[in-house]
Amino acid sequence: MATLMRVLALSFLLFSTIFWDKRHVSAMELRVPNRSISSTVTAMYLLGDSSVDCGENTPFYSILHQNLSMYPCNGSDSSLVPQLLANKMGLQSAKPFYSQNGTIYGLLGGVNFGSAQATILSPRSRSYQSLNQQLRQAFETIQLLQLHLGEEPAKHFVESSLFYLSFGKDDFIEYFVDNKSSFNIKYNGTEFSRILVRQMTNAVRNLYASNVRKMICSGILPLGCAPRILLKHDNSNSSSSKVRGCIDEVNLMILEYNRKLEEEIVAINAELPDAHIIFCDVYRAMMEFIDNPKPYGIEDVNNACCGLGKYGGMSGCISTDMACQRASTHVWWDLYNPTTTINSLIADSAWSGHPLSAISRPITVQELVSNSEKPIKLCT
């Protein structure tokens, strides 16, 4: 199956090479979607896991979902944080990489390279795209933009685009849940976090080297509160303590990863000229909704809206027919993913600092895309 996926990916690139209009495209001939007048962002490009992709960009996801969720979000990709942010900027939703039709116009509208269950480290199964695989697709896309726009227009276009990275959740899921994982045997929690942060830092630096200047790096949500982790804890007679209904050991590791990633982002912003990189603290936002649910209309902070067994953590969302009637009152949609309500609250907070302040640091997303720098003009 992994071989078949690589063949499909290669076929896509060959299709693009053979059938793409070969002429040099002038920047003044291009047409991109209308965007907000106050936004300096021309397009949005997404890399990540189920926080950016509902399975639409994962070939054979319905076959390869490994008894997790056939529907890892209650809606389409448009219900996820990055797409909600794109809407606030007046940008169209980034189209899945594997749905591209081989036109330069499709790439200019933004691309979603993300893949549900993607990991930072190379997964044991080759069924899912890792961080490095998605980076390769992103770099190939940038090269195609250079080929068709010319070096200088492509440079300005990439500099005025926004790249959103959200990884790590599935690495930690494998570390904590998969008894066959080699990672929890080789590394303790601190070592594992450092390895993941190093890989993410390298990804940010490599994107910067390809002229990417605006980035959002999302932290990992509180997996210690997720339905599957709670169920595993109850079934294992673990000595790990619960704090506010969540598994403390798991959340402490997530916090350590998030802290180290943010520290690296602060250092990169200070080191690299014109780098504007935001850390989005998804963990802090979700813990606020879990600890203080009533003001947000939340009634259930433990159970998945779509799942089976205790906490809805035994099985993922196999069919939307098994979902609860009022998903908006739940924190969790399935085993590990939040509901659209939570995503909307996080996107609002990251964008403007309301209802939660300082979720995006050092500045809000709105401040990032509303600076005085002018975007490249791609249409008359």
Side-chain angles (χ1 to χ4, degrees), residues 85-155:
L85 289 173
N87 186 59
K88 292 177 184 295
M89 297 177 221
L91 299 173
Q92 68 178 28
S93 296
K95 296 296 187 289
F97 176 76
Y98 286 107
S99 73
Q100 293 295 314
N101 60 7
T103 70
I104 186 67
Y105 307 102
L107 297 183
L108 289 169
V111 179
N112 186 353
F113 304 101
S115 175
Q117 294 179 243
T119 52
I120 294 174
L121 303 178
S122 295
R124 184 174 65 252
S125 167
R126 298 293 178 180
S127 303
Y128 302 101
Q129 295 160 266
S130 67
L131 167 63
N132 284 337
Q133 289 169 312
Q134 293 184 38
L135 282 173
R136 185 165 59 249
Q137 293 170 349
F139 295 144
E140 288 169 350
T141 298
I142 291 173
Q143 289 172 357
L144 285 170
L145 291 174
Q146 292 170 343
L147 175 65
H148 289 277
L149 300 182
E151 288 286 338
E152 198 61 23
K155 177 177 181 290

Side-chain angles (χ1 to χ4, degrees), residues 352-364:
S352 65
H354 300 288
L356 302 180
S357 62
I359 295 303
S360 288
R361 300 188 290 269
I363 58 176
T364 66

